[in-house]
Amino acid sequence: MWLLVFLGAAFLVAMTPGANNLLGMHHGMRYGPASGVTGLFGRLTGFAILIAAVAAGLGSLLAASEHALTVIKWVGVAYLVWIGARILYTSFRTGAFAAADEIPTAPSLFALARKEFLTAVTNPKAVLIFTAFVPQFIDPARGQVTAQVLTLGAVYLVAELAAGSIYVGIGAIVRAVRMSKRAQRNLDRGTGVILLGMAGMLASSPR
């Protein structure tokens, strides 16, 4: 029951719109569901590293360190700006130079996974998930705290995979309905603008 309750809560948290989910939806729309879902494993790898850090006791140190979180914050801002600007640049370049029936060439699966990974590990909100949300479900009466962190972390990864797959699926549905090239470019531009907006909100937010 304890893990089921956590799984439900974790799924709701994982479904919250954010940079990784938006990126996964974009990958599903541009390159198809197989590439999009494969890219999710980069995100899961990043989250697994954060879970291991919390289990090792580094999570509490990060949460208490103003300097560390500030560095993570600004690295995250820079990376979101880079991704958003890149998507915008590609959409305008495609609109200006590409043929109307051109199909975007999918980058390597490693490149997609790397984007998801870097977006995950440079997102302060992801750090807070594992330093503030997960610990709320830890009960010393259930046994060793480290083991509980690892168990809850593994369950969260399942929830994250499910939520991320849903966003990729939404993008794949958009791809399947064969929207006009103009509409696809507009969606890409909207994605880029939202990512830049997220970067702006992250930059202006307090710790």
Side-chain angles (χ1 to χ4, degrees):
M1 179 63 71
W2 164 58
L3 289 179
L4 286 177
V5 171
F6 175 76
L7 178 61
F11 180 73
L12 292 177
V13 171
M15 279 297 294
T16 303
N20 271 113
N21 282 333
L22 192 61
L23 188 60
M25 186 171 68
H26 173 73
H27 287 164
M29 182 183 73
R30 296 289 289 174
Y31 311 121
S35 294
V37 171
T38 302
L40 292 179
F41 287 93
R43 181 194 314 188
L44 298 181
T45 300
F47 283 168
I49 291 173
L50 294 177
I51 292 166
V54 172
L58 296 178
S60 58
L61 294 177
L62 284 175
S65 173
E66 182 78 29
H67 178 71
L69 282 182
T70 298
V71 170
I72 293 173
K73 167 183 171 178
W74 286 106
V75 171
V77 168
Y79 192 66
L80 284 177
V81 168
W82 185 85
I83 293 178
R86 180 84 176 181
I87 291 174
L88 281 174
Y89 170 76
T90 301
S91 70
F92 281 104
R93 182 177 182 276
T94 300
F97 301 110
D101 59 351
E102 181 180 349
I103 299 175
T105 302
S108 68
L109 296 179
F110 175 78
L112 295 180
R114 181 180 60 199
K115 282 185 180 180
E116 288 268 10
F117 173 82
L118 292 175
T119 302
V121 298
T122 58
N123 187 351
K125 291 183 179 179
V127 176
L128 291 176
I129 287 174
F130 300 112
T131 58
F133 170 68
V134 171
Q136 293 183 33
F137 291 84
I138 294 174
D139 183 356
R142 292 192 177 97
Q144 188 180 24
V145 171
T146 299
Q148 289 186 59
V149 170
L150 294 175
T151 300
L152 292 173
V155 172
Y156 184 86
L157 292 182
V158 172
E160 188 69 36
L161 176 61
S165 297
I166 289 173
Y167 276 89
V168 170
I170 292 172
I173 290 172
V174 172
R175 175 188 174 92
V177 299
R178 298 186 180 278
M179 298 174 62
S180 69
K181 293 297 178 182
R182 181 184 182 88
Q184 289 184 28
R185 287 196 298 270
N186 287 338
L187 273 176
D188 282 344
R189 291 168 186 171
T191 300
V193 169
I194 292 173
L195 286 172
L196 290 176
M198 288 180 175
M201 288 188 292
L202 179 58
S204 61
S205 67
R207 199 200 99 178

